Structure formats: C-alpha cells, structure tokens
Amino acid sequence: MLAARFHAPDRPLALDDVPVPEPAPDEVRVRVRAAGVCGTELHFTDGLYAPSRTPMTLGHEAAGTVDAVGSAVTGWAEGDRVAVYYYLFCGSCRWCLRGRQNLCLTPRGVLAFAADGAFAEQLVVPAHCLVRLPDELPFEAAAPLCCAGTTAVHALTEAAVEPGDVVVVLGAGGVGLAAVQEARRRGGVVVAVSRDDARRSAARSAGAVAAVSPAELADTVARLSGGQGADVVVELAGVTATLELATAVLGRRGRLVLVGYSADALTVSPLGMVVAEQRVIASVGNTLAELEQAVALAAAGQLAPPVAGTLPLTQVNEALDRLRKGDVAGRLVLTP
Ligand SMILES: [Zn+2]
Ligand SMILES: [Zn+2]
C-alpha cells in the first residue's frame, strides 16, 4: 500500500510502498478515505520534534471504513464508517478510567508520533479508538473533526465559555476556525485574529463578529467588552508575539487557553494576573467522548471545520507547502 512517510526533517515526505498492516486480536484495520493535514505535521517536517522512530507515516485525522477486524473484536464489521481517535489509549490507567484518554499514561502509540498514521491507504488501531460515523457525514468532512474539530471542543469546554463571553481566537487555521464555530455555538461573542485576509474572511463565515489583524485586536476587544477585556483567549500559535497579545487583552477572571506551542516561553506578571484573578489553562487534544460529541455536532450541522480543498495522497508535499505558507483557509484533506 501507499504511505507518505517522514524520514528526516527538512525533506519532503517519501511516498513509500509498504506492507499492508495486519490487525492484532483487539485491533481493526481501517481503509482511510480521508485524512486531514494538520499544522502539527509541520512540527515534524520542520524539525520542532521527531517521531519516536523513522520512517513514520504522518497524519492523525483519519476517517474511513473498517477493512478487517481482529479475532477478539466485537461490535465492528467490515464496511462500517468510522472516525479514528488518534491517541491510542490503554483504557486502564488512572486517566483513561477518568475519561481523560488524552492524558493516557501508557498509550500504545499516537498516530504520526509513535504509530503509523493516516497518510496511507490503510492503518491499524485498537478497536476502542473507533467512533461510528453517521451515513450523512462525508469522510472529507469527518476527518477534520478528529483533530481540528475536537481540539476546539476540548479547548472551549476547558475554558467554560458562557453566553455573552467575549472570546478571542488567536489564529484562524483549521483548529481556529473550528474554535470560532464552537465558541459561537456556546453563545460567545467571538473575535478572530489572523494576518491573512482569506482566513479572516473564513472566520467571519464561521461566526466571528469581528476578524481582525493583530494590530487591531486591542481596540476591537475594548469596544466589544465595554473596556473590560476578553473573558477567554484561545491561543493557537504559541509564539511570543501572540502570547503577549493574549495576555494584554485578557480581562478580569479571563481564561487564557494555551493550545498552540513553540519553543517560545510564556511570560506573565503574577501581580497583573493575581489582581485580575486570571487563569492559564493548557488544553491538549481531546477525549474520546469529545470526538463522539464533535461527530454528533457535525451530523447536526453545528460544527463543520471548513475544508479548503481535497487532494490525492500523492500530493501530500504540495499540501504541506501550502500549509507552511499560511494561506490555507481551513483544512486540506488528502484522499488516499
Ligand atoms: Zn492535529
Ligand atoms: Zn491509559
């Protein structure tokens, strides 16, 4: 089968012909029909971090059909339409038992990080990582739910957004546009921030009352909050410039939700944060229940991470180049 694999940083992914993987007794094999291209892919190709081994098939947003089931698997059959939870959780550690599979202490792997991922014709995962897709949800719409959509659901759940909250979303890529939709659904007054005009336009379509450049943010938040500052800032870039912007516009009891990251540091004034009783919340990925929730919201037409285009798997490097340039308004989806 064809697989787009990472061999080393600063090199295109290789289109390798690899053996079709066989499921273990508790695993299923999925025929990948759509695979979203996430910004995290660039963290590998650009050398911010390395997968646990090389070569590694990248991609952690997979939707497709069950292709083969292990001997001990019940409840799934060939042809079932599924989305894949990319964190291959153990199911028995203290965090899995609390429903926080994103914090699993002993995962079998994580797609693209420590298990071959979605940029392939087939992949193998534990059966408990599957979420059933309703027939009306196309694979191309479902794949971006697996990271972009559910990451947004998790971040805004952690932020405890309430109706009327002024919510700033810093960054309007795949996760950012889904965060705009989800914040809006929860009744937030959403301000999106992007340097890119097409992304600002996409953010307005996703439900932002304002979509502005970084330089316009402070005035916009002041106007919409009556000078009180933002109740929530969802930070998706994680670089010094946007972190400083985030803390500058945060209001009393404001929640700064860190989703994006880089090698840059977050610098805050304890005095400023304490007197305003602000909180910093870190949000990583999503739980299995939140992927199920994202699929249900999508089926109900309430969450739809915009798809910027679909390409065959063979054009994966072109997709990564477009994403690196920062001019993709939504998710690019590969169709292996
Ligand atoms: Zn992702
Ligand atoms: Zn676990």
Side-chain angles (χ1 to χ4, degrees), residues 89-97 100-101 103-107:
F89 62 97
C90 77
S92 55
C93 74
R94 71 194 296 257
W95 294 109
C96 284
L97 292 175
R100 298 267 176 187
Q101 297 88 354
L103 300 177
C104 176
L105 296 169
T106 51

Side-chain angles (χ1 to χ4, degrees), residues 64-103:
T65 49
V66 172
D67 186 47
V69 295
S71 57
V73 172
T74 55
W76 295 101
E78 209 176 308
D80 284 349
R81 305 174 80 254
V82 294
V84 176
Y85 183 72
Y86 62 77
Y87 214 84
L88 310 185
F89 62 97
C90 77
S92 55
C93 74
R94 71 194 296 257
W95 294 109
C96 284
L97 292 175
R98 294 173 189 193
R100 298 267 176 187
Q101 297 88 354
N102 56 328
L103 300 177

Side-chain angles (χ1 to χ4, degrees), residues 39-267:
T40 300
E41 257 73 65
L42 299 178
H43 291 336
F44 294 112
T45 58
D46 299 349
L48 180 64
Y49 42 62
S52 65
R53 60 166 163 78
T54 53
M56 181 72 81
T57 304
L58 296 192
H60 54 276
E61 291 187 334
T65 49
V66 172
D67 186 47
V69 295
S71 57
V73 172
T74 55
W76 295 101
E78 209 176 308
D80 284 349
R81 305 174 80 254
V82 294
V84 176
Y85 183 72
Y86 62 77
Y87 214 84
L88 310 185
F89 62 97
C90 77
S92 55
C93 74
R94 71 194 296 257
W95 294 109
C96 284
L97 292 175
R98 294 173 189 193
R100 298 267 176 187
Q101 297 88 354
N102 56 328
L103 300 177
C104 176
L105 296 169
T106 51
R108 194 174 299 186
V110 184
L111 295 188
F113 294 78
D116 283 318
F119 294 170
E121 291 175 293
Q122 282 137 315
L123 89 169
V124 158
V125 293
H128 67 202
C129 290
L130 298 184
V131 171
R132 202 172 294 277
L133 285 180
D135 288 341
E136 65 269 25
L137 202 57
F139 295 119
E140 289 84 353
L145 297 172
C146 298
C147 170
T150 52
T151 297
V153 168
H154 184 61
L156 292 161
T157 301
E158 294 298 303
V161 172
E162 289 176 11
D165 278 356
V166 173
V167 180
V168 173
V169 178
L170 272 170
V175 177
L177 294 172
V180 168
Q181 292 176 352
E182 181 60 5
R184 183 80 187 85
R185 187 184 73 81
R186 289 167 180 263
V189 177
V190 187
V191 183
V193 186
S194 175
R195 286 190 185 83
D196 183 68
D197 198 43
R199 287 187 175 195
R200 288 197 295 267
S201 172
R204 285 184 205 103
S205 301
V209 297
V212 299
S213 68
E216 300 168 301
L217 180 62
D219 285 349
T220 306
V221 169
R223 177 170 56 81
L224 291 171
S225 66
Q228 295 299 300
D231 297 294
V232 173
V233 178
V234 181
E235 218 291 60
L236 298 161
V239 297
T240 300
T242 53
L243 289 165
E244 286 178 352
L245 202 54
T247 49
V249 299
L250 203 60
R252 293 191 168 211
R253 289 187 65 76
R255 287 86 79 197
L256 168 58
V257 187
L258 302 178
V259 182
Y261 49 85
S262 71
D264 291 359
L266 167 67
T267 306

